[in-house]
């Protein structure tokens, strides 16, 4: 079982942080592939609209400089991406959505035997698929808003209450719609289904305060659970894509430490623990909740590749337990390089050029 630490675990948390920083001092010159590029709709949105200084890749690059790594941004859209990957000690992905955090990139890295930060193939695939993740939540007994799946043929059941219409993949609320009028439902479904005609998650709209809980794996296999943060969109009906981007720096999102009754805090952290172990998450993750006015928490989604900008919810939560942004990156690199090797032989990837042979450093 995973050993979970909470903010009250002062001595254990401080010991793990000191061990982490000592490890970092011995890893000067570590070659890190920072994977970033406009692959998914979510990443294309950030690439086109988010100022460079606000991007996660900028903050991650700064942290790698502080660590003393030899790093380079590798763009999956470039033709030499795969060949270049094989020359690095470890990969740190900043891709979101399909092809980045849905298990496909992780599978490629497993095959190349390039250690990588974050969850493996299975956990990434489940967390990225909103419909599949809902089914797993039900199996694990984790509360989540009621939902149905629309596949283009059967009608959506309307119970005279607002609905959230969501694409099955992708984050940052891209393609999501809050539907209050049945007349607006067809357009919302079509938008979420996209050109591919994907299945659509139609979820009961639960009112309350959005909450987010970050988790970070530290040396020794312990996982620290950050204090819950309350996020409130001041100028939108819900935490939509434009609000998250905050391109104009209007500060339309209020992020603060959640003031919770002990039993509510226990419920939030228990659900986060259940999902971490139940999905087999690794490295880092963020669990998003909605907390009703009655104090009932419902899980909305699991993020296996949390946003990592300097002001991200994840970084804010880490700071509340005394961890810097550089500590976060160190922890992710440590977890990637501390994994046991494969226990079965694998074929050596062959490229047109000469590549350095490597031993497997990650497990499937």
């Amino acid at each position: 079982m995973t050993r979970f630490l909470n903010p009250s675990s002062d001595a254990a948390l401080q010991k793990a942080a000191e061990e982490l920083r000592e490890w970092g001092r011995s890893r000067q010159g570590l070659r890190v592939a920072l994977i970033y590029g406009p692959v998914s709709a979510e990443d294309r949105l950030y690439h086109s609209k988010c100022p460079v200084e606000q991007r996660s890749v900028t903050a991650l690059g700064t942290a790698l400089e502080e660590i003393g790594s030899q790093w380079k941004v590798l763009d999956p859209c470039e033709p030499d991406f795969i060949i270049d990957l094989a020359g690095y000690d470890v990969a740190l992905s900043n891709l979101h959505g399909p092809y980045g955090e849905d298990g496909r990139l992780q599978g490629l890295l497993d095959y190349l035997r390039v250690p990588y930060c974050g969850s493996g193939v299975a956990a990434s695939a489940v967390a990225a698929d909103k419909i599949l993740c809902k089914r797993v939540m039900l199996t694990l007994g984790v509360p989540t808003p009621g939902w149905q799946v629309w596949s283009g043929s059967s009608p959506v059941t309307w119970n005279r209450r607002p609905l959230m219409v969501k694409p099955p993949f992708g984050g940052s609320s891209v393609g999501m719609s809050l539907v209050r009028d049945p007349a607006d439902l067809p357009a919302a479904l079509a938008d979420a289904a996209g050109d591919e005609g994907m299945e659509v998650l139609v979820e009961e709209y639960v009112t309350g305060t959005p909450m987010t809980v970050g988790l970070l794996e530290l040396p020794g296999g312990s996982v620290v659970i950050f204090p819950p943060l309350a996020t409130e969109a001041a100028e939108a009906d819900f935490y939509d894509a434009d609000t998250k981007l905050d391109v104009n720096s209007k500060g339309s999102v209020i992020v603060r430490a959640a003031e919770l009754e002990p039993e509510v805090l226990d419920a939030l952290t228990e659900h986060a623990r259940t999902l971490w172990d139940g999905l087999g998450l690794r490295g880092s993750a963020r669990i998003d909740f909605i907390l009703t006015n009655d104090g009932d928490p419902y899980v909305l989604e699991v993020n296996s590749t949390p946003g990592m900008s300097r002001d991200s919810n994840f970084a804010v939560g880490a700071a509340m337990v005394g961890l810097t942004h550089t500590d976060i990156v160190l922890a992710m690199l440590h977890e990637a390089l501390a994994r046991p090797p494969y226990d079965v032989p694998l074929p050596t990837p062959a490229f047109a050029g000469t590549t350095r042979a490597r031993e497997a450093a990650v497990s499937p």
Side-chain angles (χ1 to χ4, degrees), residues 46-61:
Y46 274 87
H47 193 76
S48 64
K49 290 190 174 184
C50 189
V52 173
E53 64 274 11
Q54 293 182 22
R55 295 177 186 173
S56 293
V57 68
T58 302
L60 292 171

Side-chain angles (χ1 to χ4, degrees), residues 32-274:
V32 182
L34 179 53
I35 303 174
Y36 171 76
V39 180
S40 67
E42 182 180 356
D43 282 332
R44 289 194 295 273
L45 177 68
Y46 274 87
H47 193 76
S48 64
K49 290 190 174 184
C50 189
V52 173
E53 64 274 11
Q54 293 182 22
R55 295 177 186 173
S56 293
V57 68
T58 302
L60 292 171
T62 301
L64 291 172
E65 286 287 342
E66 293 177 0
I67 292 167
S69 301
Q70 298 179 24
W71 65 279
K72 181 181 178 181
V73 173
L74 297 188
D75 185 347
C77 300
E78 295 297 323
D80 292 333
F81 171 68
I82 294 177
I83 294 177
D84 290 344
L85 265 181
Y88 285 84
D89 297 318
V90 61
L92 172 58
S93 175
N94 187 228
L95 296 180
H96 300 89
Y99 297 98
E101 60 179 331
D102 64 354
R104 283 181 275 197
L105 174 64
Q106 291 73 18
L108 170 66
L109 292 165
D110 277 342
Y111 180 75
L112 295 176
R113 269 87 79 209
V114 177
Y116 57 90
C117 303
S119 294
V121 174
S124 298
V126 173
D129 186 332
K130 293 183 178 67
I131 296 172
L132 180 57
C133 196
K134 281 275 198 179
R135 292 172 176 146
V136 173
M137 288 181 201
L138 291 180
T139 301
L140 295 172
V142 174
T144 186
W147 53 283
Q148 55 189 299
V149 176
W150 181 77
S151 58
S153 54
S154 57
V156 171
T157 302
W158 183 277
N159 293 322
R160 298 183 180 180
R161 291 181 294 183
L163 297 172
M164 290 300 304
V165 177
K166 303 179 179 182
F169 302 102
S172 296
S173 303
V174 175
M176 283 177 48
S177 301
L178 171 57
V179 179
R180 299 182 183 276
D181 188 328
D184 298 328
L185 185 58
L189 293 170
D191 186 42
D195 295 336
E196 299 86 0
M198 298 180 294
E199 290 186 324
V200 174
L201 175 65
V202 182
E203 187 179 70
E204 293 179 8
Y205 178 58
V206 177
T207 58
T209 303
M211 297 275 169
T212 185
V213 176
L215 302 97
L216 181 67
E217 192 164 348
L218 297 175
S222 58
V223 175
V224 58
I225 303 177
F226 301 154
L229 296 175
T231 59
E232 299 180 28
E235 299 180 7
D237 286 338
F238 69 99
Y239 203 9
D240 59 13
D242 288 338
T243 302
K244 291 178 179 179
L245 277 170
D246 194 21
V247 173
N248 298 320
S249 300
K250 295 187 298 182
S252 55
V253 178
I254 300 170
V255 179
R256 56 178 174 79
E259 299 177 359
L260 304 171
E261 295 294 331
E263 60 272 18
V264 176
L265 176 60
D266 289 345
L268 284 168
T269 54
E270 177 61 28
H271 298 327
R273 288 194 294 264
T274 298

